[in-house]
Amino acid sequence: MTTEMTRPRIATAPAGSPREGMKTRKRILTGDRPTGERHVGHYVGTLANRVKLQDQYETFLLVADHHMLTTRLTGLDEIEHNIRATILGNLAVGIDPERTTIYLQSQIPEVSEIFVLFAMMVTVPRAQRIPTLKEQMRDLHIAQPSYGLLGYPILQAADILMVKGDLVPVGRDQQSHIEISREIARDFNQRFGPVFPVPDALIPEVGILPGTDGRVKMGNSLGNIINLFDDAKTVERKVMGMYTDPTRIRPTDPGHVEGNPVFTYHDFFNPDTAEVEDLKERYRAGRVGDVEVKKRLAAALNRFLDPFRDRRDELLRRPRIVEDVLEAGRERARAEAQRTLHEMRAAMKLDYFGL
Ligand code: TRP
C-alpha cells in the first residue's frame, strides 16, 4: 500500500470551466454520507482507491447530506462538523480538489429536481425490493420507512446521472443502487431520447478491514474504529485493546494468525513484510506475546498515519479550507447539473415557454 501523495493545491473557483459540455475522459462520481470522522476502514475500502482513480478519470466527489436525513432527523447540528471531517479526511489522504470536484449535495438544487422527475419512473414495489432498505430498517430499528428512505437509491441515481457518470466506485453493499441507476438511465433514454450514459459500478477487490473489536466491519456507530487523525497515543491505546486470538491464554500457547484482526491490520498497514512474517511464524509457534505483536502494529500504524496527520495540519493552516473547496466544487458541479436538467426537460418536452 502506498502513502505517496502529491501536495494538495486548493482550487479557487475556475472561471469558465474548459469542460463546457465535452467530456474527454471517462467520468467518475462517488460520494460519502457525512457520518463523521474518516477512519482506517474508509481508507482501505474506498479512499486509497479514490486517490489513484483521480489520476485516470475526471472525478466528482459528493458529500451526500440529504441522504443522511433519510435515516436521521435528530442531532442535525452535528452534520456540519461531520461534513468538515469527511472533507478533511479525503483531502488529507491525497484527494486533490483541483482534479476532483468536491461538492455538497444540498448545494445543488437541481439534484432534487432531477430526483423528482426520476421518482415518476420508478414503481413503489421496485423501490421496496432494494435490499439496502430492509437492511437499514433492521440495523437502525426503523419500523416504518419514510418516503425519503424509500427514495434513497433514486436520489443516488440523481447524483450519478446528474454528472453523467460513467463509473461509480462503491462498496459491494451499494451494488443494488447502481443497478437501479442503470435502469433509470435506460428507461429515460428509451422513453424520451438519449440523454444518459448507463453507469457501471466499480467495486474494488480489497478485503474489508475488521473493527478493533473483531467485528467484520469498522463503523462510526460501532465504537470500533481507528480514526485517520487519531494521535499516536490514542492509536497505541486502541491497538493494545484490540481483539486478538481468544483461544490463546499464555504467550507460549500456539496462536492463530488467520482471522486474527491484529494480523489482518499488520497485513494492511505494516510495509515491513519480513517483520510481519517473522511475527506470524513466532505467533503460530507460541514464541511471541500479543503485547509485542500489538506494539509493533501500533508503531507501524503510526508511521502509516503520520503523513495524513501532517497533511491535515498543513490544510488547517487555511481556516476556510473546507468552505473554499466547497465553493469551487459547487460552481463546477452546478454547471453540470444545470446542463443535464436542461437536456432532460427538453427531451421530456417540459421546456415550456422556452424556459
Ligand atoms: N449511498 C452512498 C453510501 O452510503 C453515498 C452516496 C450518495 C453515493 N450518493 C452517491 C455513492 C452517489 C456513490 C454515488 O456510501
Side-chain angles (χ1 to χ4, degrees):
M1 191 157 295
T2 174
T3 55
E4 189 189 306
M5 295 172 294
T6 52
R7 282 171 51 84
R9 289 151 302 156
I10 306 309
T12 46
S17 164
R19 284 186 198 105
E20 271 319 305
M22 268 180 301
K23 291 200 298 174
T24 43
R25 284 181 298 162
K26 282 209 173 189
R27 208 171 253 193
I28 276 189
L29 176 117
T30 191
D32 305 306
R33 279 172 305 144
T35 49
E37 314 302 319
R38 297 298 95 181
H39 53 63
V40 292
H42 291 128
Y43 185 81
V44 168
T46 54
L47 298 177
N49 192 33
R50 253 178 220 178
V51 173
K52 278 194 236 129
L53 291 169
Q54 70 179 349
D55 294 332
Q56 244 172 303
Y57 299 99
E58 187 185 3
T59 307
F60 288 77
L61 175 63
L62 89 152
V63 180
D65 56 335
H66 277 158
H67 275 115
M68 197 70 223
L69 303 179
T70 60
T71 53
R72 167 175 181 175
L73 286 172
T74 55
L76 300 187
D77 54 342
E78 289 165 20
I79 293 183
E80 184 176 322
H81 169 89
N82 290 348
I83 292 169
R84 221 173 258 289
T86 304
I87 291 174
L88 280 173
N90 275 275
L91 295 177
V93 299
I95 299 289
D96 173 1
E98 254 185 26
R99 279 180 291 162
T100 295
T101 300
I102 302 175
Y103 69 97
L104 186 58
Q105 187 181 42
S106 64
Q107 290 192 335
I108 315 292
E110 289 79 10
V111 173
S112 303
E113 215 170 317
I114 294 171
F115 168 66
V116 167
L117 295 176
F118 285 166
M120 311 307 162
M121 297 163 42
V122 179
T123 66
V124 171
R126 175 67 184 96
Q128 284 172 327
R129 268 205 307 278
I130 299 204
T132 50
L133 176 64
K134 283 209 189 72
E135 286 161 22
Q136 293 261 29
M137 288 173 62
R138 183 196 59 211
D139 295 348
L140 302 172
H141 312 288
I142 298 169
Q144 302 280 343
S146 70
Y147 194 61
L149 181 58
L150 184 66
Y152 187 118
I154 301 155
L155 180 57
Q156 189 163 342
D159 290 329
I160 296 165
L161 298 177
M162 176 281 259
V163 301
K164 300 193 179 178
D166 301 296
L167 295 169
V168 190
V170 282
R172 197 162 292 287
D173 61 315
Q174 296 283 307
Q175 207 160 11
S176 60
H177 297 179
I178 312 306
E179 197 41 57
I180 197 168
S181 304
R182 292 166 59 84
E183 281 174 34
I184 291 172
R186 279 198 217 98
D187 188 22
F188 187 99
N189 293 347
Q190 230 158 44
R191 283 175 194 268
F192 306 114
V195 169
F196 296 111
V198 178
D200 283 306
L202 196 64
I203 295 172
E205 292 300 316
V206 292
I208 295 178
L209 190 75
T212 51
D213 57 357
R215 274 192 278 187
V216 219
K217 215 178 152 178
M218 211 176 248
N220 276 339
S221 56
L222 303 174
N224 62 0
I225 67 178
I226 293 176
N227 283 328
L228 289 180
F229 302 143
D230 276 343
D231 59 37
K233 280 260 162 306
T234 308
V235 169
E236 189 170 339
R237 179 173 48 76
K238 289 182 177 175
V239 168
M240 295 319 285
M242 267 181 80
Y243 177 93
T244 172
D245 179 356
T247 65
R248 197 170 190 242
I249 298 158
R250 283 170 296 269
T252 49
D253 295 343
H256 296 89
V257 164
E258 278 68 38
N260 183 334
V262 176
F263 282 102
T264 310
Y265 282 31
H266 264 294
D267 286 336
F268 274 115
F269 302 111
N270 191 347
D272 185 348
T273 45
E275 177 181 78
V276 176
E277 283 318 306
D278 172 62
L279 287 172
K280 284 181 178 173
E281 217 180 287
R282 286 159 56 208
Y283 198 81
R284 287 198 185 96
R287 285 193 288 110
V288 64
D290 280 284
V291 172
E292 181 179 344
V293 181
K294 286 179 171 178
K295 281 220 157 105
R296 287 177 189 267
L297 173 61
L301 249 176
N302 276 324
R303 281 194 297 275
F304 181 84
L305 294 175
D306 265 340
F308 303 156
R309 298 173 180 135
D310 291 349
R311 177 81 62 98
R312 190 217 29 194
D313 293 345
E314 193 183 314
L315 289 163
L316 286 179
R317 274 191 233 129
R318 271 181 65 178
R320 290 184 52 81
I321 177 83
V322 172
E323 286 83 347
D324 290 349
V325 164
L326 285 179
E327 181 63 33
R330 170 164 68 170
E331 295 277 314
R332 286 185 253 163
R334 240 194 130 184
E336 298 297 328
Q338 283 169 345
R339 183 160 44 238
T340 302
L341 184 58
H342 185 81
E343 285 175 34
M344 286 174 70
R345 296 181 61 140
M348 295 174 83
K349 307 284 180 266
L350 296 178
D351 50 349
Y352 335 107
F353 315 117
L355 291 175

